[in-house]
Amino acid sequence: MRRLSFALFLTLLLLMAFAWIPACGSNGDVGFDPNDGKDGSTIDGPNGGEFPDGSRYADGRAVDPLTIEPSTVTVQVEINNGAVTANPVAFKAKANGREVDATWSIDRGELGKFAASGGAFTPSGNLGGIGKITARSQARIGVATVIVEIKMTQNGAPASPGGGGVGGSPLGGPVDGATKGRLDGPATPAADLVWLYPYDGTVWPRGLFAPLLQWQSGRAAKAVSIHLSSTGFDFKGYFAGNNLVNQPILQSAWDKATYGNRGDALKVELRIDDGSKTYGTITRTWKVAAGVLKGTVYYNSYNTKLVTYKVDGNSGGILSIKPGQTFPVLTVPGAKDKCIVCHTVSDDGSTLFSQQTNYADGASYNLRNGAAVIKNYTGDAPGGTTNNRKFLWSGVYRDGTFALQSSGYTQESYPNESQIFARDDGRAMPATGFDAVVKQAVTPAFSPDGKKVAFNYWTAENDSITPKAGNGRSLAVMDFACGAGGSTTGGPSCGSFAFSGLREIFRNPDAPADKGFVGWPAWLPDGKALVFHNVMKVPTSGSVISTWHGAQAQISYVDMNGASNALRALNGANPDGSNRYLPTNAQHPNDELLNYEPTVNPIASGGYYWVVFTSRRMYGNVAPGDPYDLGTGDNPTPKKLWVAAIDINAPAGTDPSHPAFYLPGQELNAGNLRGFWSVDPCHQNGTSCQTGDECCNGFCRENTPGGGLVCTDKPSGCAQEYESCTTTSDCCAGGGDIRCLNNRCAQIIN
C-alpha cells in the first residue's frame, strides 16, 4: 500500500474537520432556519443552508431570492369630506415558493404603514405616490412596489380648511344636490368666463399655500366646482357663496396634488353655477417641481402694519418671510418704532445691511444672532470715508464680511466712488485692479462662489480704459480673488482684494433716451448667467432704475458669453414673444412691462432655479387697482413680490423662464419690493434638520439607524440632493440628473 503524501493527508484531515462543523444557527445574520416555512415545512439549502455573504451558499451557488406577492399593486384611497376609506393590502414573502416570516417596511412612510406583524399594508390617505416595499427574512431581502392613488371630494369648507396668505374669499359652504348635479353635468360655454390667476404653464414648488383661483364673469356665481387631476390623483371640490369671483384650492388637496405628483402635468378645471345653469369649463395646466423652496426672502415693505413709525404719513420696514409662512415678520426685533429700509443680505444668511430713517445712517445686523447690531455706521469711518449711505445697495460678499459699494444713480445712493468697505468698521480696503479702473459700479453683485462680480458699468476712472463704460446702459463682469490671510475675529475674510478681467457682457443702445438703462444684476447659482432689471421706460422723476413714478422694466437674462434674451414667460408674454397672456384692465394695459429688481435663490430646488422680483402687475381681482399706488388706503396695492422658475438645462437661445406666481404671505395693503433671497443661517452638528443645506458642515443624516435626521460631518459615500459638494462626481447619480451647483447637489430637469 502506497504511503499517502503529507499534503494529501492534510487535505483529507481538513475535509473531515469541516464535516463536523455545525451549520450557522437560525439567530445568525448569515444563515436561515431550516424550518422557516410558515407551514412548518423545511426549506433546505445545500451545505446546511449557509450563505456567508447573504447572496450565495457556501459552495458558491446563488441563494434563492425572496419574492413578494404581489410584486406590484395599486391601492385606491377615497376621501369624502375628510373621511378616508382605504382597504389594506396583504403582502406575502416567499422563498422557494413557500411563504416565510418577514419584517416589512416602506421607504415612504407618508404613504401608509404595515401592521405590527405580518405583511398587511394600510394606506394613510395623507399622500399618494409610489413606494418601495421591502421584506427581510434573515439574510434574504425582497422588494415590491405599491402605488397609492387618491380620489378626493369635498362639498363645502371643512372645519379646519388650512391654507392662507393669498387673500381673497375663504372657501364657501356646501352646495345642494341639484347644484352639484349641474356642476357635474354638461356645462354651457361662456366667452365672458375668463381666468385671471394663476397663469397657464406655471411651475409650482412644493410646500406653498394653495393658490387662489381668480376669474371674471358677466354672471353672478353662486357655486363653483374645482377639479384637480394628475396621474394617481383626483380632487373635486364644490363650494357655494354669493357673487363668487375667487376661491382657494383646499389646502389638503393641494398638498396631496403637489407632494404626490409624479412629474406629469397637474390640471385644474373650473366651473361656475348661477343658480340655474352651469358655465365653463375653463382650465389651466401646471407643472410641479419635486422640491420645496429653500431660504428666506427679506424685503422692503412700505405701509406695513408691523411698523408704527411714520415719515410723511408712511411707514417702512424690512420684513422677512419663508415660503409656507402665513404672515411676514419684522426682521429687526424692536424696529416697529423706527424706519429701517433699503437692505442687502449676504448669500449665507449671516449679515443684513440697511439704512435708518434719514438714510444717512446705517447698520449691519447679525441674522445668526437674532438680528443683533454688528455695527452702526454714522459720521466718518476710519480713514475718512463718509458713512452717509454706506453699504446702500452694495454687492455683499457671500459671507457678509465686506461689500463692494454701489455709487450714485439709485434713488438713494452713496455719494462717492465705489470701493470695498469692511463690515466691522466701514473702513475702505485697497482693491487692486478695481480702484484705478472703475469709478462707479452701480448695484454690484458677487457671484455665489465669490469669484466674480457683476455691475452696471456706469463710469470708468478715465476714458482710456477699455471696454468703455456704458453710462448706465451696460453690464460688466470682473474676476475677483480673495487673498489668504483674512480675519478670523470679525474683520474681512479676505487678506487682500484683487480684481481683473473687466469685460462687458451686455449693452443696450443709447437711443431712445427714455429706455435702455440696466441694474440690479443677480447671479444664477451656477455662476454662468445673470438676470437683471432692463428699463423699458424711465420714470418721470428720480432714479432711472427705480420702480416708481411710471417706471417700466422687464427682467432679462444674459450668460457669460453675452447671449441675452428677455424672460418672456416670467414677464408675461407668450413664449414666442407675441401678445401677452397677462389679464388687463383700464389701469393695467401692459403689465408685462412692470417687473423690477430680481434676486435669485442661491439654492436650486426641485430641478429649477427660482427668481423673486418686484412686480406692479394686477393680482387677479384681489389687487387690480392703480399699479403705482403706495398702499396708503384700504385697497390692496399691486406692488408685490412674485416668484418664477428658471430652467437649469435650457437650450441656448431659448427662454428658460416660466410664468410667475404670487409669493404667499405678503400683506395685501402694503407695497413690497426688493425681495432679497438668502439661505437660512446654518445649524451646527447634532441639530435636527431636513436637508443638508440647513447644516454648517453641509450634511443631514440619521443619527442612528431609524433615528431622526441631524446635522453631521461628511459621511462616507456620495452626497444627496441639497448636501455639500465640490464637483458633480461628489453627488449621488452625479453626471446624470444631479449636478453640483453652488456647492450643493441639485436635481436637474432635462
Side-chain angles (χ1 to χ4, degrees), residues 449-501:
D449 63 6
K451 296 181 179 180
K452 293 188 288 288
V453 67
F455 50 89
N456 178 326
Y457 181 30
W458 208 295
T459 311
E461 285 290 351
N462 60 70
D463 292 338
S464 65
I465 293 171
T466 56
K468 298 289 186 184
N471 296 318
R473 299 171 182 272
S474 72
L475 290 177
V477 167
M478 296 185 79
D479 299 316
F480 175 71
C482 173
S487 172
T488 59
T489 58
S493 56
C494 299
S496 61
F497 309 86
F499 293 81
S500 62

Side-chain angles (χ1 to χ4, degrees), residues 565-581:
N565 61 60
L567 297 177
R568 294 181 291 274
L570 177 154
N571 287 307
N574 290 323
D576 62 1
S578 64
N579 302 320
R580 64 181 66 88
Y581 63 76

Side-chain angles (χ1 to χ4, degrees), residues 603-616:
I603 299 177
S605 298
Y608 297 91
Y609 301 136
W610 300 92
V611 175
V612 61
F613 60 99
T614 306
S615 184
R616 293 182 180 274

